[in-house]
Amino acid sequence: MVHGRKASPAAVAGGPETAEEGELALLQRVAAGDRAAFELLYRCYFPRLTRFLGRVLQRPHTVEEVLNDAMLVVWRKAASFNGQSRISTWIFAIAYRRALKAIKRFDDPIEFDEEQAESLHPGPDAALMHRQLSATLGWAIARMPADHRAVIELTYFHGCRYQEIAQIMGCPVGTVKTRMFHARRRLQLLLSDRMEDLP
Amino acid sequence: MSGDILHFTKSAHQRTLESLPWFLTQTLDPDERELVERHLRGCPECRAELESQRRFREAYADSDIAVDPEQALAKLRPRLARTHSAPQPWRARWVDRILGAWRSRPAWTTLALTAQLGIILALGWALNRAEQAVPSYHTLASAGMPTRTQGDLIIVFDPGTQQRTVQAILRAAGARVVDGPLASGAYVLAVSPGSLAATLARLRAERGVALVEALRTEGTP
């Protein structure tokens, strides 16, 4: 699993089999109660989990709490990892389940700063349009169901294969494709009014 | 090939539409990718959709969540200590509860529980025989799991860092990638003998590096 569009890792380095073994070794140390290994694993996953949970939860103030809950499960259950999926898939599946539990508890509206989206900083035209498009997408994504947000995030940002997404979300691969298809259609509907002036 | 262009079935078109996000991220299996490529050559609608998704993805990748990993980890540390240490008292409490319930049981439950125990033992014996025929899998607690690869440093780049910036950082630091990307997005680096501390400090000062840690101390293999 990679950061698909930026810093294309495949172009920088080698094969996934040895890479997976490296993470497995780290997780083995975590399973043995090695705190330093856990903190290294935590820091490695922190940027990606923060991003993923931020998108799925849509409530920035809850990201840290849910992320820590998920990593606490990793700490406690590391010995039960059975190698039937990639380690990242296992960790993201835990984070996704914790996020869904958290969402059920929420009774507050989704946080989205409309003013921030509207008040764009001056700059070159291309940069301005890009920021405007990003803000509009943020507005639209905040209005989608959590499972649609998750499949979009895991596909476009984290570069997950649809088979991995099925494992993370605990559903058949056909469901992943269908969710993505409907999510795209829903996005197009939401954006149709706002996209007229955007590239 | 023209037959593929002129005689699209609806399901082939639909399948391509559904697969486009993963075609874009280059994560389809080769045979599936080939099917999409063939369909795209003859379908302007899917090509337009692919272009739309490409623009969407470029705008979508911007990240706006700012959480400090060290502050978050500091909040988690006390919970780690509570959950990983001293499991014995927890077990002891449950043993006490079970023994207490057993001692205060009504007389008739002895017979019922004995019969239940017999059934459980018989089922357990049958299950055990069935499991012996099924291939087992290993958990991390099992012996025989693979061991780690060699390297001096582990590094995570900021998600927004461009590929050419990554390459420039590594060249300037005299480090080379020996493993990765790990599933977390991290890489394992090797550095020249004797330069571990200096390289570590240099990489930590680089913008675009989210995390870098030594995998060994200077002078150890």
Side-chain angles (χ1 to χ4, degrees):
Chain A
M1 192 154 51
V2 295
H3 284 299
R5 64 184 279 279
K6 290 182 176 176
S8 171
V12 182
E17 288 179 12
T18 52
E20 187 69 10
E21 285 178 13
E23 281 207 345
L24 188 61
L26 198 58
L27 196 63
Q28 281 177 317
R29 287 167 54 195
V30 174
D34 184 336
R35 288 275 291 268
F38 173 77
E39 294 193 3
L40 187 54
L41 190 72
Y42 182 98
R43 291 187 180 100
C44 283
Y45 272 89
F46 189 88
R48 302 184 69 215
L49 285 178
T50 300
R51 159 83 197 206
F52 172 63
L53 291 171
R55 284 291 192 192
V56 174
L57 292 164
Q58 289 291 316
R59 291 160 178 84
H61 71 276
T62 61
V63 168
E64 182 184 282
E65 179 191 341
V66 175
L67 189 151
N68 276 356
D69 285 349
M71 290 306 289
L72 188 63
V73 175
V74 171
W75 169 247
R76 293 168 64 182
K77 305 286 185 187
S80 70
F81 175 74
N82 58 26
Q84 291 189 321
S85 68
R86 302 179 69 179
I87 292 168
S88 60
T89 306
W90 181 67
I91 292 177
F92 269 73
I94 292 170
Y96 180 63
R97 287 195 296 271
R98 301 303 304 192
L100 290 185
K101 277 189 181 177
I103 287 170
K104 281 182 187 169
R105 292 200 312 264
F106 296 153
D107 53 6
D108 57 322
I110 284 174
E111 295 169 19
F112 186 80
D113 193 339
E114 294 272 359
E115 282 185 17
Q116 189 184 12
E118 298 297 333
S119 64
L120 301 167
H121 299 296
D125 285 351
L128 183 67
M129 295 295 265
H130 187 77
R131 283 180 58 84
Q132 196 174 1
L133 179 57
S134 295
T136 306
L137 286 174
W139 171 87
I141 285 165
R143 278 149 183 80
M144 298 175 71
D147 56 353
H148 284 187
R149 294 197 296 265
V151 75
I152 286 178
E153 174 70 12
L154 290 168
T155 301
Y156 286 132
F157 188 79
H158 297 274
C160 292
R161 304 170 75 228
Y162 60 77
Q163 296 92 335
E164 286 176 308
I165 298 174
Q167 288 182 310
I168 290 170
M169 300 180 74
C171 66
V173 290
T175 305
V176 172
K177 287 186 170 183
T178 306
R179 277 180 185 162
M180 186 58 155
F181 183 76
H182 289 299
R184 287 276 313 154
R185 289 288 168 270
R186 191 181 171 98
L187 262 180
Q188 283 169 346
L189 277 175
L190 284 166
L191 295 173
S192 57
D193 291 339
R194 293 192 168 216
M195 293 285 278
E196 286 171 4
D197 300 329
L198 297 173
Chain B
M1 213 44 68
S2 60
D4 296 320
I5 295 170
L6 294 174
H7 301 293
F8 294 140
T9 63
K10 186 180 177 183
S11 62
H13 178 71
Q14 184 65 24
R15 278 203 304 272
T16 300
L17 275 177
E18 289 185 354
S19 298
L20 282 180
W22 296 280
F23 178 78
L24 186 62
T25 57
Q26 300 175 22
T27 55
L28 288 181
D29 293 332
D31 52 346
E32 206 173 357
R33 187 174 67 234
E34 193 183 329
L35 283 175
V36 173
E37 281 171 347
R38 283 170 58 190
H39 180 82
L40 280 172
R41 281 198 288 271
C43 183
E45 185 189 341
C46 283
R47 287 201 300 273
E49 173 64 18
L50 181 64
E51 184 53 34
S52 164
Q53 292 199 25
R54 182 173 286 120
R55 281 185 283 126
F56 169 80
R57 187 178 177 222
E58 284 173 3
Y60 177 77
D62 284 354
S63 181
D64 49 5
I65 303 290
V67 185
D68 180 1
E70 296 310 317
Q71 280 184 16
L73 184 54
K75 290 178 188 169
L76 182 58
R77 281 196 187 101
R79 298 170 71 191
L80 298 180
R82 281 202 301 272
T83 53
H84 221 283
S85 65
Q88 200 55 42
W90 179 86
R91 286 182 193 157
R93 281 199 306 274
W94 277 99
V95 169
D96 289 345
R97 280 189 201 179
I98 292 166
L99 286 176
W102 176 254
R103 288 185 191 112
S104 59
R105 72 193 186 281
W108 63 269
T109 56
T110 304
L111 187 61
L113 286 171
T114 305
Q116 218 171 33
L117 181 64
I119 293 167
I120 289 167
L121 286 174
L123 285 173
W125 178 78
L127 273 175
N128 187 40
R129 281 178 61 90
E131 277 177 3
Q132 284 173 2
V134 178
S136 62
Y137 63 86
H138 299 278
T139 68
L140 283 180
S142 312
M145 294 294 277
T147 52
R148 54 151 311 186
T149 51
Q150 297 296 314
D152 301 313
L153 299 168
I154 189 163
I155 189 166
V156 178
F157 292 98
D158 185 277
T161 309
Q162 299 284 349
Q163 178 186 327
R164 61 177 177 275
T165 309
V166 169
Q167 290 172 338
I169 289 171
L170 294 179
R171 266 199 298 272
R176 62 188 176 82
V177 176
V178 294
D179 199 359
L182 309 186
S184 59
Y187 296 93
V188 178
L189 305 180
V191 300
S192 307
S195 67
L196 180 60
T199 308
L200 187 62
R202 181 178 187 129
L203 288 171
R204 279 184 175 151
E206 288 280 3
R207 290 181 64 192
V209 174
L211 163 77
V212 57
E213 293 288 344
L215 291 172
R216 62 174 180 81
T217 52
E218 195 86 73
T220 60

